[in-house]
Amino acid sequence: MSDEFQQDAVGLLEGINSTRAIRRYRDESIPEKDLRDMLFAATRAPSGSNRQPFRFVVLTDSEKAKQAKVLIKQGAESVWRAKKTNDQYDQRSGADSASPKARMARTMDSYVENFDKVPALILPCLVRYREPTPMEGASVYPAVQNLLLAARALGYGGVITGFHHMVETELKNLLGIPEEVFVSCTVTLGKPKGKHGPVRRRPMNELVYGDTWNESPEWAVDPAGTRHTSAGPPRKPR
Ligand SMILES: Cc1cc2nc3c(=O)[nH]c(=O)nc-3n(C[C@H](O)[C@H](O)[C@H](O)COP(=O)(O)O)c2cc1C
């Protein structure tokens, strides 16, 4: 395997603006050189005092990896079943099969059903050296985003989930993860079945303020052609 870092064709800003949650993967394993470059990027992330408390458990196709995927699939099924009911995914606008809500529900159904077949499952962990603080996650989540951005740069896609919570004890036993280690999330990775495209968020003037809360500066204007989403709780009128 070459020790050169691969050249990527996607500009940094373009990559940031098109790193969407990808939940459908082609049935292709990820070559080790690509895993290496993605995990290298993850391990270059910042952390408090540069202590680098992050560790990444990378699960592909070993027997243990398969067992871990099956375990987390069980967590995924129960989390998604509850969310689908609570958030009424198949009612109101979701009753129309062409609605964004119904499409999202189909994507989630297929994601959960195929969870045990994801090409790679990464567990970004944080080795605790003191009692948890409110800033603790900030020493692991930048690494998670680096991982997703590097995946995007190499033509892969992924998504963060919290599906491991329900099965965390069994997972730690299976993989030998010490009790005190914080498993921050799961990240699944693979070649997307669909295409990458621009992320959709709220207009930036709803999200960026100047020196007064809820008042955005004049320069906080989205670039021409930006498409938005109405996802998220309704904003308070200004
Ligand atoms: C903290 C966090 C937790 C998340 N948990 C889940 C999850 O449990 N299951 C899932 O399918 N996606 C999960 N996601 C993915 C989000 O749903 C996704 O990032 C968001 O909807 C934006 O998607 P987009 O970038 O494609 O617009 C999570 C994302 C974050 C940042």
Side-chain angles (χ1 to χ4, degrees), residues 94-115:
D96 172 4
S97 67
S99 66
K101 204 170 175 185
R103 264 187 285 134
M104 185 64 198
R106 286 198 295 276
T107 300
M108 285 303 298
D109 285 341
S110 129
Y111 182 45
V112 168
E113 192 181 322
N114 294 298
F115 201 94

Side-chain angles (χ1 to χ4, degrees), residues 13-160:
L13 290 177
E14 185 197 343
I16 289 170
N17 295 333
S18 60
T19 298
R20 295 196 296 197
I22 301 285
R23 297 185 178 87
R24 293 181 197 267
Y25 309 110
R26 287 195 242 147
D27 185 18
E28 286 172 30
S29 55
I30 305 180
E32 286 179 357
K33 72 176 176 34
D34 291 350
L35 278 177
R36 192 279 304 262
D37 286 354
M38 290 187 261
L39 271 303
F40 180 74
T43 58
R44 300 306 96 181
S47 58
S49 304
N50 204 13
R51 288 185 72 105
Q52 301 146 75
F54 37 67
R55 302 288 184 274
F56 301 88
V57 179
V58 180
L59 302 160
T60 54
D61 49 13
S62 70
E63 203 42 52
K64 254 197 202 181
K66 287 178 194 158
Q67 288 175 34
K69 290 178 188 178
V70 169
L71 254 182
I72 298 179
K73 178 181 178 176
Q74 290 164 13
E77 283 166 343
S78 92
V79 170
W80 171 231
R81 204 180 307 120
K83 188 172 168 62
K84 200 174 178 181
T85 310
N86 293 342
D87 296 356
Q88 304 186 317
Y89 265 87
D90 39 18
Q91 285 163 46
R92 291 189 296 208
S93 71
D96 172 4
S97 67
S99 66
K101 204 170 175 185
R103 264 187 285 134
M104 185 64 198
R106 286 198 295 276
T107 300
M108 285 303 298
D109 285 341
S110 129
Y111 182 45
V112 168
E113 192 181 322
N114 294 298
F115 201 94
D116 53 332
K117 299 181 202 77
V118 296
L121 172 63
I122 319 291
L123 305 179
C125 299
L126 177 133
V127 181
R128 286 200 166 110
Y129 65 98
R130 59 178 174 192
E131 287 299 304
T133 68
M135 284 284 281
E136 176 180 72
S139 284
V140 62
Y141 294 121
V144 172
Q145 185 65 6
N146 269 12
L147 177 67
L148 290 170
L149 290 173
R152 169 72 187 93
L154 297 177
Y156 295 92
V159 62
I160 297 170

